[in-house]
Amino acid sequence: MYDVRFSLFTTIFLLVFSGQIFSQTKILSQQDIHRWKKIEQEKLSSDGRFVAYVLESATSADPILCVWDSATESTQKFPRGTEPRFSNDANYLIFRIKQPLDTLKTLRRKKVKDDDLPKDSLGIFNLQTRKLEKIGGVKNFSTPEKWDGYLAFQLETAPPDTSAAAKSAAKKMKKENKENGWRLVVRHLESGRKDTVPFVKEYVFAEKNPRLFLATTGRDSTVLPGVYFFDFEKRQLAPVFLGKGKYQKLALDKTGNQAAFLADLDTSKARIRPWQLGFWSDKMAAAELISVRRDAEFLLKNENATVSENATPRFSDDGSKLFFGIAPPPVLNDTLLLPEEIVNVEVWSSQDDYLYTMQKKRLDEEKKRSFPAVFRTAENRFVAVGSEDFQVRFTASRDADLALVFSEKNYSQQLIWDGVAHLDLFALDLKTGDKQLIVKNLRGQPQISPSGKYAFWYSQPDSAWFVWNAQNAQILRLTDNQNEKFFDEENDVPDLPDACGFAGWLANDEAILIYDKYDIWQFGLTGKPAARLTRGRETKTIFRYLKLDPEEKFIMPDSEILLHRFNETDKTEGYDWLDLASGKQTKWQSGKFSFSRKPMKARNSWDILFTRENFETFPDLQFSGKGKVKQVSRANPQQSEYEWGSIELVEWFSLDGKKLQGMLVKPPHFDPSKKYPLLVNFYEKSSNTLMAHRAPEAHRSQINYSIFSSRGYLVFNPDIPYREGYPGESATNSVLSGVSFLLSKGFVDEKRVGIQGHSWGGYQAAYLITKTNIFACAEAGAPVVNMFSAYGGIRWESGRSRIFQYEHQQSRIGGSIWEYPLRYFENSPLFSLDKIQTPTLILANDNDGAVPWYQGIEFFTGLTRLGKPAWLLNYNEEPHWPVKLQNRLDFQIRMEQFFDHYLMGKPMPRWMKRGVPAMEKGILQGLELDDE
């Protein structure tokens, strides 16, 4: 008896120790996606003590708002909480509480109108007392950014009183709606005291001082229509401008000592509304409507221009300038014409600056387009700035009296075949409105230094950086690429290489920090030689500056800055601190992780919030205070319940002898002595994402690596370098050599190899199966198969011609169909469909704005005509990929069934065996497996 018990105890102990009882992990499936959460809407309190974030479901469950306290390392959760905001003093967290999604769905199924659905609530959580207050029926809310004590929110219309007397009175009462506005509640956070303003259309807090500016349509004689300040001391409205009319686009300067708004006081039904600009300062008893009509010089430059209702006024940071929009009168139709009398014809002309499709796509935007103008507040005068032919770029603060204006009018047709238009660049004096030519025929994106002393740009034809000195109007070339290259060294499209970018400017525009492929360089503008600030090239480590202060305009020369570090060889990342004064560089975070490129710093402390991740590790939030790094979130603890694969970097030689890299995902408990099915998925170059986490999700365009590896698949993603004119051959060179390399290892079943790609990857998948029969099946999403018909087509999402992408961009042909007809023929899978022996699944949506969906039709009908097994999925009204959740889930299930049938020997689902007839669309999906 003793021996039996001892033996049983020993067995149980060994089983438990080895994880066979309490760690019975499961295989991931598409049905498990709903369990995964994403972290969104991260916020860090100003003192750095608290972190708020929202856990959003990967499918359609209610969100969860979490608040983490760094002092206690505890987390408090609020079901259905979203849109968190900390008060400036970090004493309160204010957020929206949404209605339960199941409740809303039930009511919608009962045909309840949207206006009658239950409304959201407002949550006010006291971070000191840990008490939560809820206020129902909240429409919107706002909190001061840099001062304390108050909250403002608007309430939805109160439920109606159904009594007869109330109904009779209600007919005469002014109603809360979009036209009249809603109640605004001004709430003192500590005391709970409330003040209500009726029928408010807009409201805005000043950034730095206790000022609340609002517009109301009024309520009888107690509150007249107009714009007001709310006086926090007297708890009453202080009128700024009164009068019946419409008021909108409220704006305050940072201090709240100046205000602006747009007003339409015309009571007629004129189709062109006479909007005026309202201006107030604390030196004025009341606001004035300032008319652009009073300034002769301004009108001379902007004939017939009026104030635009579509542009929100904005003050410069120092308050010296008020920017607003002007616009020419709109083109009006003849309202007396009957429908049968109106001619609707599109007139396309080769003389048009822009293709008609681009004009049409931009039509709504153009109707609302405005051109900037400036009111110089102290001088009480206008300055003309923009016009129809020019775009304007200001400093971030708009304090400087220099702006840049540029025009692509003389080069606009280049967009058709080059993809970019050249520019004529001018300097604009915001004191006088005078323009000074800087450079003509520029191909680049000009910018202006923070203090407005320089214009600067990267010139693509020169592959070099230039600066223009506003004081002496001289142009200085900063880089010559003789010793170091400051352009994309790996550019593999038939076009001019882009810049590697720049980090920013030092204070007072003393120097600019520019990137080469690996390092950060400091270029002085007073004759000092360039200095390399980092040492990355020697170890193939890329350093990039991380901006921790979103309001930062420049970098202090004696500051310590945070850098992101990425090693090209092993794909590891980390953070370094660089002391600009001493040049000392110190590692802070390292490891086999990918680290967030957008860490968040508390405004008033050095507490930093960031993420780190790898294939096995979800990017949970990490907090660095004065001590060690602490983990804030645990978004997906259920991951430990599942079988999870692993990922590694693989290297091999291409068919032409070049060393290549790629990623290989292996199933859990990988055994090299076994044979596994292999799925090949790729785009261009992806190996730099080796450390990225891939949570189970209903992806819109590609297989999910975690799910497929958990189910026993190998997943291979090879990098593809391209040769101009031969994109299909380049893919063949890289992909087939990589697959052959893996086959040589002995753990890949050569009869169970599949391929999957989308868009450019879909094209390459389609091309590859015309050249090889190594793949047992293929899925090609949104593929181009006929480069001739695609070349002259339109990208409907933008209205642009597709020509440029074949001659200069991703398609990499390097010239027109008249220059290289054979290249277009040889790279088009359509003309070799008869060679295909691979069953093919095609995704082509009828609202695709990037790849014409008839490319998928050409592919499918060609395969059908040739008697090849093929299926086409078209998610109606969806764009380049499925966007709606139900469609993304469906797509992933069908891909899984497709690959499982050909690579795992699973039964063929009904939709593959017999299709889904049009009569059954949306009713019977055909996902059932027929076990025969």
Side-chain angles (χ1 to χ4, degrees):
M1 182 70 176
Y2 177 84
D3 292 340
V4 171
R5 287 187 304 182
F6 177 80
S7 176
L8 180 62
F9 174 80
T10 304
T11 301
I12 293 175
F13 174 81
L14 290 174
L15 287 172
V16 172
F17 184 79
S18 63
Q20 295 183 31
I21 288 184
F22 296 109
S23 182
Q24 294 182 355
T25 51
K26 300 174 287 188
I27 303 299
L28 273 167
S29 71
Q30 305 295 338
Q31 288 69 35
D32 295 312
I33 289 175
H34 75 279
R35 298 191 67 189
W36 258 257
K37 305 288 186 183
K38 296 181 179 180
I39 297 175
E40 297 182 350
Q41 304 178 45
E42 305 96 306
K43 294 289 188 299
L44 188 56
S45 62
S46 58
D47 62 356
R49 176 175 172 178
F50 298 100
V51 177
Y53 58 95
V54 176
L55 294 177
E56 291 279 4
S57 170
T59 53
S60 57
D62 292 317
I64 300 172
L65 172 61
C66 302
V67 185
W68 182 79
D69 186 344
S70 64
T72 61
E73 297 188 39
S74 61
T75 300
Q76 190 154 352
K77 297 182 178 181
F78 301 95
R80 307 189 311 281
T82 187
E83 300 176 34
R85 300 181 196 175
F86 288 106
S87 61
N88 178 62
D89 57 11
N91 287 329
Y92 294 89
L93 178 69
I94 298 94
F95 56 95
R96 183 185 297 272
I97 305 173
K98 302 182 74 68
Q99 290 292 324
L101 186 59
D102 288 344
T103 299
L104 295 177
K105 285 184 175 181
T106 299
L107 293 173
R108 286 170 53 205
R109 289 189 178 98
K110 294 179 179 179
K111 310 301 181 184
V112 175
K113 296 180 179 178
D114 288 347
D115 289 343
D116 296 328
L117 292 173
K119 309 304 179 185
D120 295 342
S121 298
L122 185 70
I124 304 175
F125 181 59
N126 189 313
L127 293 164
Q128 310 306 318
T129 65
R130 301 303 168 114
K131 291 183 179 180
L132 174 65
E133 178 183 356
K134 297 181 182 179
I135 301 173
V138 167
K139 186 175 183 64
N140 56 57
F141 66 97
S142 182
T143 56
E145 187 174 345
K146 295 180 180 177
W147 51 278
D148 308 317
Y150 284 89
L151 161 72
F153 56 89
Q154 284 189 286
L155 293 169
E156 296 276 6
T157 304
D161 188 339
T162 57
S163 65
K167 287 182 179 180
S168 177
K171 293 180 181 179
K172 303 177 183 178
M173 291 180 61
K174 185 175 180 179
K175 292 181 172 58
E176 291 182 321
N177 52 37
K178 184 177 181 180
E179 184 68 24
N180 295 329
W182 285 268
R183 286 166 292 162
L184 176 69
V185 177
V186 182
R187 158 75 180 256
H188 187 258
L189 284 169
E190 186 174 351
S191 68
R193 184 181 69 238
K194 300 177 185 176
D195 294 283
T196 303
V197 184
F199 300 108
V200 171
K201 292 279 298 220
E202 289 186 29
Y203 65 100
V204 59
F205 279 114
E207 179 181 322
K208 295 182 177 180
N209 294 317
R211 283 275 168 83
L212 175 64
F213 193 38
L214 62 91
T216 173
T217 60
R219 182 186 61 193
D220 54 55
S221 60
T222 58
V223 179
L224 297 174
V227 291
Y228 296 80
F229 276 112
F230 181 80
D231 189 319
F232 289 98
E233 291 185 2
K234 298 180 180 178
R235 295 179 57 194
Q236 63 183 25
L237 294 178
V240 173
F241 188 91
L242 301 178
K244 189 175 182 180
K246 294 182 179 180
Y247 303 92
Q248 65 181 35
K249 310 291 186 186
L250 309 184
L252 290 169
D253 69 5
K254 287 186 175 294
T255 62
N257 294 329
Q258 296 182 112
F261 56 92
L262 302 184
D264 176 7
L265 308 182
D266 191 347
T267 58
S268 72
K269 295 183 179 180
R271 296 175 68 189
I272 300 178
R273 304 308 305 171
W275 288 94
Q276 301 179 76
L277 177 66
F279 171 73
W280 173 91
S281 78
D282 56 4
K283 300 179 179 61
M284 301 166 59
E288 294 181 357
L289 298 181
I290 49 178
S291 173
V292 298
R293 294 281 162 197
R294 73 182 191 189
D295 194 313
E297 181 182 358
F298 183 84
L299 281 178
L300 186 64
K301 296 181 179 180
N302 298 276
E303 186 178 1
N304 298 322
T306 59
V307 173
S308 171
E309 64 178 295
N310 298 306
T312 300
R314 175 186 165 175
F315 288 93
S316 58
D317 285 1
D318 63 8
S320 66
K321 293 178 282 292
L322 171 61
F323 297 82
F324 63 101
I326 59 172
V331 178
L332 300 177
N333 63 322
D334 187 345
T335 58
L336 297 179
L337 288 177
L338 297 172
E340 63 267 26
E341 297 175 321
I342 299 173
V343 176
N344 282 308
V345 58
E346 295 180 359
V347 179
W348 295 31
S349 170
S350 61
Q351 305 304 311
D352 289 342
D353 288 337
Y354 300 100
L355 283 175
Y356 194 91
T357 49
M358 293 180 65
Q359 298 176 46
K360 190 175 181 180
K361 190 67 181 180
R362 298 175 178 181
L363 186 57
D364 289 340
E365 180 183 329
E366 285 296 312
K367 287 180 178 179
K368 297 179 180 179
R369 186 181 175 192
S370 62
F371 316 112
V374 177
F375 178 66
R376 299 186 69 91
T377 57
E379 302 159 29
N380 195 30
R381 67 183 181 89
F382 293 100
V383 178
V385 174
S387 69
E388 186 174 1
D389 295 333
F390 290 92
Q391 299 178 54
V392 186
R393 185 161 289 160
F394 305 99
T395 60
S397 67
R398 302 203 179 194
D399 291 343
D401 284 323
L402 175 71
L404 301 180
V405 294
F406 48 92
S407 172
E408 62 182 31
K409 184 175 177 58
N410 295 327
Y411 318 97
S412 56
Q413 286 195 340
Q414 287 179 300
L415 282 169
I416 299 175
W417 51 85
D418 281 350
V420 295
H422 292 208
L423 309 169
D424 291 335
L425 177 64
F426 301 82
L428 174 69
D429 189 329
L430 293 180
K431 292 181 179 179
T432 64
D434 295 335
K435 297 185 187 73
Q436 177 184 1
L437 178 66
I438 296 177
V439 62
K440 292 181 70 67
N441 199 20
L442 167 66
R443 179 170 172 175
Q445 293 296 319
Q447 300 185 60
I448 187 169
S449 61
S451 299
K453 295 180 179 180
Y454 301 95
F456 66 103
W457 62 88
Y458 170 80
S459 171
Q460 289 183 311
D462 300 292
S463 299
W465 285 92
F466 293 82
V467 294
W468 175 82
N469 189 321
Q471 185 175 3
N472 58 25
Q474 296 296 309
I475 295 177
L476 172 66
R477 178 168 177 158
L478 292 178
T479 61
D480 58 16
N481 303 311
Q482 294 298 313
N483 298 314
E484 303 295 341
K485 298 179 177 65
F486 292 88
F487 57 84
D488 180 7
E489 298 177 33
E490 297 183 358
N491 177 59
D492 64 358
V493 298
D495 200 7
L496 300 169
D498 288 327
C500 297
F502 76 102
W505 286 76
L506 297 189
N508 201 33
D509 294 352
E510 289 183 0
I512 183 173
L513 305 184
I514 296 177
Y515 299 132
D516 70 7
K517 180 179 179 180
Y518 297 103
D519 291 305
I520 305 173
W521 292 73
Q522 179 173 315
F523 286 84
L525 304 178
T526 57
K528 291 183 179 179
R532 184 160 67 127
L533 304 184
T534 57
R535 292 292 182 271
R537 185 170 290 272
E538 290 80 355
T539 57
K540 292 188 176 181
T541 301
I542 299 171
F543 291 102
R544 293 298 182 256
Y545 169 64
L546 297 175
K547 183 178 177 179
L548 294 176
D549 181 0
E551 297 181 0
E552 175 188 273
K553 298 181 179 67
F554 46 76
I555 302 169
M556 296 302 296
D558 58 350
S559 62
E560 191 174 31
I561 62 175
L562 184 63
L563 306 180
H564 181 274
R565 181 182 68 254
F566 174 81
N567 184 272
E568 279 191 332
T569 303
D570 61 14
K571 315 302 181 184
T572 58
E573 302 182 18
Y575 294 137
D576 284 13
W577 289 103
L578 174 63
D579 189 319
L580 290 177
S582 66
K584 182 180 179 181
Q585 189 168 332
T586 307
K587 282 189 177 181
W588 176 43
Q589 295 291 314
S590 298
K592 293 183 178 181
F593 296 98
S594 173
F595 287 81
S596 167
R597 305 294 177 102
K598 293 184 178 180
M600 184 183 301
K601 175 188 167 298
R603 190 194 312 148
N604 300 326
S605 74
W606 275 98
D607 298 307
I608 295 175
L609 192 67
F610 64 95
T611 63
R612 63 186 177 202
E613 62 184 284
N614 57 31
F615 188 78
E616 296 88 0
T617 306
F618 180 84
D620 275 301
L621 297 175
Q622 309 291 327
F623 177 88
S624 171
K626 297 176 181 178
K628 65 179 183 179
V629 173
K630 303 174 184 178
Q631 183 168 326
V632 174
S633 64
R634 286 172 176 80
N636 293 298
Q638 77 284 351
Q639 180 177 321
S640 62
E641 302 172 19
Y642 294 89
E643 294 283 325
W644 206 268
S646 61
I647 196 169
E648 63 187 47
L649 189 70
V650 292
E651 295 183 332
W652 71 99
F653 288 96
S654 65
L655 300 180
D656 58 358
K658 295 179 180 178
K659 190 173 184 179
L660 300 179
Q661 291 184 320
M663 300 181 292
L664 179 64
V665 183
K666 293 181 175 179
H669 317 297
F670 173 75
D671 183 349
S673 66
K674 293 182 177 180
K675 296 278 190 178
Y676 293 88
L678 173 68
L679 263 178
V680 185
N681 166 265
F682 50 81
Y683 192 74
E684 292 195 357
K685 295 179 181 178
S686 301
S687 64
N688 283 357
T689 66
L690 180 73
M691 297 299 171
H693 184 73
R694 292 168 172 86
E697 64 172 320
H699 202 280
R700 63 192 185 182
S701 64
Q702 70 172 31
I703 58 172
N704 185 277
Y705 290 8
S706 299
I707 290 179
F708 273 87
S709 62
S710 180
R711 299 177 64 252
Y713 284 88
L714 291 162
V715 180
F716 176 49
N717 187 323
D719 285 351
I720 303 174
Y722 294 93
R723 185 162 68 99
E724 181 179 323
Y726 302 94
E729 183 182 299
S730 298
T732 304
N733 185 17
S734 301
V735 176
L736 292 190
S737 63
V739 172
S740 297
F741 169 76
L742 294 179
L743 287 172
S744 70
K745 295 295 183 181
F747 51 73
V748 176
D749 189 334
E750 63 181 10
K751 295 181 179 179
R752 295 192 293 160
V753 180
I755 189 172
Q756 192 271 328
H758 187 86
S759 192
W760 182 241
Y763 155 71
Q764 294 169 107
Y767 181 91
L768 279 162
I769 60 177
T770 69
K771 302 302 179 185
T772 178
N773 297 323
I774 196 173
F775 300 109
C777 58
E779 191 279 331
V784 166
V785 294
N786 183 352
M787 288 194 172
F788 283 100
S789 60
Y791 173 81
I794 297 295
R795 294 179 66 94
W796 294 107
E797 63 189 1
S798 63
R800 297 177 65 182
S801 166
R802 294 174 54 82
I803 289 175
F804 75 93
Q805 69 187 70
Y806 290 90
E807 296 189 16
H808 295 291
Q809 294 298 319
Q810 188 175 56
S811 298
R812 296 176 168 87
I813 297 299
S816 72
I817 57 175
W818 304 280
E819 295 173 281
Y820 301 114
L822 285 180
R823 290 186 182 181
Y824 282 84
F825 176 81
E826 292 168 354
N827 285 286
S828 295
L830 183 73
F831 304 109
S832 300
L833 294 189
D834 57 323
K835 305 295 193 302
I836 292 178
Q837 297 182 28
T838 306
T840 306
L841 174 63
I842 306 163
L843 173 71
N845 293 334
D846 54 22
N847 198 32
D848 193 327
V851 173
W853 87 294
Y854 53 74
Q855 288 287 318
I857 295 174
E858 289 187 48
F859 194 14
F860 176 77
T861 55
L863 291 173
T864 301
R865 170 65 181 84
L866 293 165
K868 312 290 185 179
W871 297 263
L872 186 146
L873 304 177
N874 169 25
Y875 293 94
N876 295 147
E877 302 302 318
E878 289 277 53
H880 194 46
W881 34 51
V883 173
K884 297 176 183 176
L885 175 62
Q886 67 270 27
N887 291 340
R888 286 186 280 120
L889 287 166
D890 181 86
F891 177 51
Q892 288 295 326
I893 291 171
R894 293 186 196 275
M895 273 207 301
E896 182 179 292
Q897 291 180 336
F898 175 77
F899 288 123
D900 278 359
H901 172 68
Y902 286 107
L903 304 182
M904 288 287 197
K906 298 285 182 71
M908 182 178 281
R910 289 187 183 180
W911 66 270
M912 290 178 64
K913 182 173 290 188
R914 61 181 286 269
V916 179
M919 189 172 290
E920 297 178 7
K921 189 189 79 169
I923 303 171
L924 303 176
Q925 303 301 337
L927 297 175
E928 303 84 1
L929 299 179
D930 288 338
D931 294 308
E932 295 182 1

